[in-house]
Amino acid sequence: MIVKKLSLVVSAFFSLAVCAQETAKTDVELKPEVKLSYLDSIKSTFKRDHLASKVDSLWMNELVSLDIYDDLTKDIQTINKDVTVDEELPTELLKQRLAAMNQKSPFEIQYNQGLENIIKSFLKNRKKSFSRLMALSEYYFPMFEDAFAKQNVPLEIKYLAVVESALNPKAVSKMGATGLWQFMYGTGKQYALKIDSYIDERSDPLKATAAASEYMTKMFNIFGDWELVLASYNSGPGNVTKAIRRSGGKTKYWDIRNYLPKETQGYVPAFLATMYLFEYHKEHGINPERAVVKNFETDTVAVKNQMSFKQIADLLDMPQSQIQLLNPSYKMGVVPFYQGEQHFIRLPKDKVATFVSNEEQIYAYVKYDKEFRATSSRLAVKYAPKAKPAAAKPAAVDNGDFEFYKVRKGDNLGAIASKYDVSISDIKKWNNLKTNAVAIGRSLKIKAEEAPVKTVPAIVDKEQAIASVENKEKTAVDMDYVVVSGDNLGSIAKKFGTTIAELKELNNLTSNNIGLGKTLIISKAAIVIEEPVSTAIASNSVDSFKKKAPSKNVSEDYYVKKGDSLYSISKKYPGVTISDIKKWNGIKDEDIKPGMKLKING
């Protein structure tokens, strides 16, 4: 009897084992083949230079931040050079250092009480700003010095860009002066800087610096004094000439200073104060922040066809934001192509190597993408359903027409403005912000009437157009993915039919490293096509959009997950706004916690 029972147990055990093997075998056989998109198939043929690309997110933020520019501009315009500042710097020691600077400089650097006050004011209020500026200078100063050396312009003029723009190529003054050297439109045109819908070369570091160098040389030939050249750069040569006449014919800056416009009276001292702080930063405990990517780690490549920054980012697996900061003169995120003209794009050296080694495949993809979009647009116009007329919106009410957005780590005003399709200046106006800096955790008011109206577009993207032609069921959803053991960006991108560059862009990643348990945004408003599309054009492209999504018409409960916000939840349900969710659940602010149950009435 015992033997019989043992036999049954052994038999059952082997049966289970065989079943398990059969199941595993079936699982293996049924595993769907992952199709490569056309983009990934192109990239799989690339020859690659494996030199590591080093891009520091903090450094990138500094190059696009306008905070320092706003602060320094205000300082230069408002500092009272006649008011003594309480800051530890003995006058005698300052005199000795200024004399040492004067000996090795073509500028006439002499001590005066106004200069001491400005230096002390910068030391007291702007130490952190100068630490950040010194990191930026590691990228820009080599460009400046090279251009100035060719024209025999004093290398110290490089400090003028700190005073003019806080080393920000995107800086724009209230009068419209633009770029590192703050050229007005007319002056830029005068010095052959191209300004059109696609390009503003006032923001091109190399071309604008060459123009500034040419201007300095011409002004020195007129005035014969570098301080007067700086004064003319700020207020124009006409004002300098008037000041010379009013002073009785004197030709030194310090002799005519009181006859110059008020801002120009503080302009040259601000330049000299900046030069002093760069020269003696160690003595004052100013430690330059780290600049990971320096100018010599980048190079340019000629672009032979019109390309968008997104196409370049997708092909080279790099964030669009990095391309934008290295190429600030391209206003539309597009490198244009004009017959008979050459345009260049600046990239990290390893990306230049990849670009040059694979130009044929790169231009083939750009041509394919352009034709695909043109075809899809025509199909969309023909087959996309007409939008229903939007209901008239109620009159604006100041206390009811605002939504609130809580600032999170990594946010900036540009990203928030883009998210709500409003301008940075609007957000600053609604929230009484003086600068572009916003604190983490702060709730910002966003005017509801300015938020984008959700209607069916006249021209939709290529996957939507194809889906409309085939009349398939489709829905839209944000997709998240939690990183598990063994994952990397490459495997995740392949799993969801997207690219590494898109994952990095969506999640603000600056490297390919991801931690276990991190929640990644996989896609935004991904299109779901339930059945394979037979259209030949679509066969290479729709794989990345085959994702399941909840129905558009919903009435359900949603449980808040870690990392959720009212904004991200509202985007999961087309037509649902933050205000809707707050109204349905009696929520007054945006404070939600993981596990909380929310009612969604679609």
Side-chain angles (χ1 to χ4, degrees):
M1 188 69 180
I2 294 173
V3 172
K4 187 176 181 181
K5 287 183 178 179
L6 283 172
S7 299
L8 287 171
V9 170
V10 171
S11 176
F13 175 77
F14 279 111
S15 297
L16 288 171
V18 170
C19 287
Q21 289 174 353
E22 289 297 325
T23 302
K25 186 177 179 181
T26 303
D27 288 345
V28 170
E29 290 171 352
L30 293 178
K31 187 174 181 181
E33 180 185 354
V34 178
K35 294 183 179 179
L36 288 177
S37 68
Y38 182 70
L39 173 62
D40 286 331
S41 66
I42 283 282
K43 286 160 61 176
S44 67
T45 68
F46 278 9
K47 301 171 187 173
R48 295 191 180 276
D49 186 325
H50 292 290
L51 175 67
S53 176
K54 299 181 296 182
V55 181
D56 182 81
S57 61
L58 176 62
W59 180 83
M60 286 174 61
N61 288 337
E62 289 304 310
L63 268 93
V64 296
S65 169
L66 288 172
D67 296 351
I68 310 177
Y69 170 71
D70 292 338
D71 292 341
L72 280 184
T73 301
K74 184 179 177 182
D75 277 356
I76 292 165
Q77 292 174 350
T78 60
I79 283 178
N80 188 338
K81 59 187 179 300
D82 299 321
V83 175
T84 303
V85 180
D86 182 21
E87 179 68 16
E88 185 59 39
L89 176 57
T91 299
E92 286 305 313
L93 177 60
L94 176 60
K95 287 180 178 179
Q96 292 172 18
R97 290 174 177 174
L98 292 176
M101 288 170 58
N102 186 55
Q103 287 178 353
K104 56 182 181 180
S105 171
F107 290 90
E108 188 177 337
I109 304 173
Q110 56 181 244
Y111 169 84
N112 60 68
Q113 186 63 50
L115 178 57
E116 179 178 346
N117 292 342
I118 292 178
I119 290 173
K120 286 185 173 180
S121 179
F122 280 168
L123 282 171
K124 185 174 182 179
N125 303 311
R126 299 291 169 225
K127 263 191 175 183
K128 187 175 180 183
S129 293
F130 273 90
S131 176
R132 294 159 65 185
L133 286 164
M134 286 172 192
L136 300 180
S137 72
E138 291 188 41
Y139 179 74
Y140 288 114
F141 278 7
M143 293 186 207
F144 301 164
E145 290 169 353
D146 181 57
F148 294 154
K150 291 175 183 176
Q151 295 275 359
N152 290 322
V153 172
L155 300 188
E156 290 90 339
I157 296 280
K158 64 188 178 185
Y159 298 118
L160 188 64
V162 177
V163 177
E164 284 286 344
S165 65
L167 298 180
N168 191 316
K170 287 293 190 182
V172 180
S173 75
K174 292 178 181 178
M175 300 297 291
T178 298
L180 289 163
W181 298 99
Q182 291 288 280
F183 281 110
M184 296 295 288
Y185 178 88
T187 312
K189 285 289 190 180
Q190 182 185 343
Y191 284 88
L193 295 177
K194 180 184 284 293
I195 306 170
D196 62 23
S197 297
Y198 281 105
I199 299 171
D200 189 341
E201 289 183 346
R202 292 178 294 172
S203 292
D204 184 304
L206 289 173
K207 293 184 178 180
T209 302
S213 180
E214 187 180 347
Y215 178 93
M216 301 290 177
T217 303
K218 285 184 178 179
M219 290 302 106
F220 185 74
N221 290 337
I222 294 171
F223 294 112
D225 179 273
W226 286 111
E227 281 83 6
L228 293 186
V229 169
L230 296 184
S232 73
Y233 196 88
N234 178 250
S235 63
N239 282 321
V240 175
T241 305
K242 288 177 192 174
I244 291 172
R245 289 198 191 100
R246 288 169 182 162
S247 70
K250 295 179 181 178
T251 56
K252 291 293 182 183
Y253 171 80
W254 298 104
D255 295 329
I256 70 167
R257 179 182 168 201
N258 292 332
Y259 299 99
L260 289 166
K262 186 174 181 182
E263 183 183 334
T264 311
Q265 292 180 29
Y267 183 77
V268 173
F271 165 78
L272 296 175
T274 300
M275 188 192 305
Y276 170 83
L277 289 179
F278 269 79
E279 292 287 327
Y280 290 97
H281 65 88
K282 291 180 182 177
E283 287 78 358
H284 290 289
I286 301 175
N287 299 311
E289 291 184 3
R290 182 173 56 100
V292 176
V293 178
K294 299 180 178 65
N295 177 252
F296 59 81
E297 292 174 325
T298 68
D299 204 347
T300 57
V301 61
V303 176
K304 301 170 185 174
N305 213 329
Q306 180 166 306
M307 300 180 72
S308 70
F309 284 3
K310 184 178 188 313
Q311 289 170 335
I312 297 168
D314 287 344
L315 286 161
L316 300 182
D317 285 333
M318 60 187 296
Q320 283 189 65
S321 55
Q322 184 185 355
I323 301 173
Q324 288 163 354
L325 80 88
L326 291 176
N327 300 275
S329 62
Y330 295 118
K331 295 156 62 175
M332 310 288 287
V334 171
V335 184
F337 176 76
Y338 302 152
Q339 196 66 41
E341 291 185 27
Q342 269 200 321
H343 292 112
F344 297 84
I345 190 161
R346 182 169 291 277
L347 298 167
K349 281 191 174 179
D350 62 313
K351 300 300 183 184
V352 170
T354 302
F355 192 105
V356 171
S357 301
N358 303 279
E359 282 189 296
E360 187 177 337
Q361 299 98 306
I362 285 172
Y363 290 119
Y365 173 75
V366 170
K367 181 181 178 183
Y368 158 83
D369 195 49
K370 181 180 178 181
E371 291 172 353
F372 197 108
R373 289 177 186 278
T375 302
S376 301
S377 296
R378 290 195 298 271
L379 292 173
V381 170
K382 186 174 181 180
Y383 292 102
K386 293 182 179 179
K388 293 180 180 179
K393 299 183 81 173
V397 180
D398 283 348
N399 60 356
D401 265 6
F402 284 101
E403 294 181 4
F404 289 87
Y405 177 80
K406 186 173 285 187
V407 178
R408 293 176 288 175
K409 186 176 181 181
D411 277 342
N412 58 55
L413 284 190
I416 297 169
S418 176
K419 190 176 291 185
Y420 284 93
D421 198 18
V422 297
S423 68
I424 293 175
S425 58
D426 284 337
I427 296 178
K428 291 171 75 172
K429 178 178 69 178
W430 296 331
N431 296 276
N432 295 320
L433 299 175
K434 303 299 182 187
T435 71
N436 289 351
V438 283
I440 295 173
R442 171 166 182 170
S443 288
L444 295 177
K445 291 193 294 185
I446 308 292
K447 203 163 191 178
E449 69 174 1
E450 302 291 342
V453 180
K454 297 178 177 64
T455 61
V456 178
I459 297 177
V460 294
D461 67 25
K462 54 192 176 188
E463 286 77 19
Q464 286 177 303
I466 294 163
S468 296
V469 173
E470 296 294 320
N471 197 27
K472 305 298 180 184
E473 182 183 356
K474 57 187 180 297
T475 56
V477 62
D478 285 354
M479 286 199 69
D480 295 338
Y481 177 77
V482 178
V483 177
V484 297
S485 178
D487 276 343
N488 58 55
L489 284 185
S491 66
I492 296 170
K494 189 173 181 180
K495 183 182 296 183
F496 288 98
T498 183
T499 65
I500 293 174
E502 286 174 349
L503 287 178
K504 292 169 78 171
E505 188 74 24
L506 283 169
N507 295 277
N508 296 320
L509 300 176
T510 57
S511 74
N512 289 349
N513 297 326
I514 48 173
L516 276 178
K518 179 177 178 61
T519 300
L520 296 178
I521 299 171
I522 300 300
S523 69
K524 293 197 173 184
I527 305 304
V528 179
I529 303 178
E530 297 296 345
E531 299 176 28
V533 178
S534 58
T535 308
I537 296 175
S539 62
N540 285 325
S541 310
V542 298
D543 296 329
S544 62
F545 296 93
K546 295 181 181 177
K547 304 181 180 72
K548 296 292 180 182
S551 171
K552 281 186 178 179
N553 300 314
V554 296
S555 180
E556 61 181 56
D557 292 333
Y558 179 85
Y559 290 88
V560 178
K561 296 179 293 187
K562 185 178 180 182
D564 275 344
S565 67
L566 288 185
Y567 174 78
S568 67
I569 296 170
S570 71
K571 290 300 177 186
K572 296 178 188 291
Y573 302 95
V576 173
T577 67
I578 294 174
S579 298
D580 290 335
I581 299 175
K582 290 166 74 172
K583 180 174 68 177
W584 295 331
N585 295 277
I587 298 173
K588 293 184 179 179
D589 54 28
E590 293 201 9
D591 190 14
I592 56 174
K593 297 179 180 178
M596 182 177 178
K597 185 171 78 171
L598 297 177
K599 185 192 298 181
I600 307 293
N601 296 329

